[in-house]
């Protein structure tokens, strides 16, 4: 948090008989954009029940849920790559690597996280295209 002196430098107060006006020069809107690699972008958007099934398969048998999700790309499930061929191959590669690295626990953890990502994508698909909601701060306060 800002110290009290820094805050006094940022916020200027003008006192009148009946109100206090606070002016804040800090920016109002902060946007954060995540940058994902091609493996993450290859995760298909599946119906939520199928994504949950793939997540459960990934918990029980690492890589199997990812393998099932790879074939959903061939059945028309959209991905952020917008190219079904490379998305299918990336999912096959992920499934294979999860199966191979299962014995050193890395593949199992990766498989569980991959299943959670499948469910999250299935539930939140299209939210990044929504119009953002902006909130305006109150600029003056009445003092009794």
């Amino acid at each position: 948090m800002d110290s009290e002196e820094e805050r006094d430098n940022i916020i200027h107060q003008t006192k009148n008989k009946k109100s206090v006006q606070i002016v804040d020069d800090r920016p109002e809107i902060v946007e954060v954009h995540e940058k994902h690699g091609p493996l993450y972008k290859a995760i298909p958007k599946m119906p939520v029940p199928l994504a949950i099934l793939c997540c459960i398969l990934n918990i029980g048998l690492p890589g199997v849920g990812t393998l099932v999700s790879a074939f959903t790309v061939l059945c028309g499930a959209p991905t952020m790559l917008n190219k079904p061929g490379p998305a299918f191959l990336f999912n096959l590669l992920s499934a294979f690597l999860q199966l191979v690295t299962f014995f050193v626990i890395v593949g199992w953890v990766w498989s569980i996280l991959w299943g959670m990502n499948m469910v999250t994508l299935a539930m939140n698909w299209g939210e990044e295209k929504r119009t953002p909601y902006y909130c305006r701060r109150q600029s003056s306060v009445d003092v009794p």
Side-chain angles (χ1 to χ4, degrees):
M1 287 289 168
D2 296 336
S3 69
E4 201 169 308
E5 292 174 12
E6 291 174 355
R7 183 137 177 97
D8 287 340
N9 290 335
I10 294 173
I11 298 175
H12 309 283
Q13 296 182 1
T14 306
K15 294 185 178 181
N16 295 337
K17 293 179 182 176
K18 294 184 179 179
S19 67
V20 174
Q21 184 177 10
I22 299 173
V23 178
D24 191 351
D25 296 333
R26 289 183 268 184
E28 296 274 333
I29 300 170
V30 176
E31 291 187 28
V32 177
H33 298 282
E34 294 182 55
K35 184 176 180 183
H36 298 291
L39 283 178
Y40 182 86
K41 289 181 179 179
I43 299 174
K45 189 271 180 196
M46 301 175 280
V48 176
L50 182 58
I52 292 172
L53 176 69
C54 288
C55 182
I56 292 170
L57 286 173
N58 269 350
I59 292 170
L61 299 166
V64 174
T66 307
L67 186 64
V68 170
S69 75
F71 288 101
T72 64
V73 173
L74 294 179
C75 294
T79 64
M80 286 187 265
L81 281 179
N82 296 325
K83 298 175 185 174
F88 174 72
L89 293 176
F90 278 132
N91 279 303
L92 281 182
L93 177 66
S94 297
F96 175 73
L97 291 174
Q98 288 170 7
L99 283 168
V100 170
T101 58
F102 163 68
F103 300 106
V104 287
I105 307 298
V106 172
W108 191 36
V109 173
W110 180 15
S111 184
I112 292 170
L113 292 174
W114 213 251
M116 291 169 49
N117 283 334
M118 285 185 239
V119 174
T120 303
L121 281 175
M123 295 176 76
N124 297 334
W125 189 265
E127 283 191 10
E128 64 276 355
K129 295 175 182 127
R130 288 186 185 170
T131 305
Y133 174 76
Y134 296 103
C135 181
R136 184 168 169 13
R137 286 188 262 167
Q138 188 174 356
S139 61
S140 63
V141 179
D142 290 334
V143 177

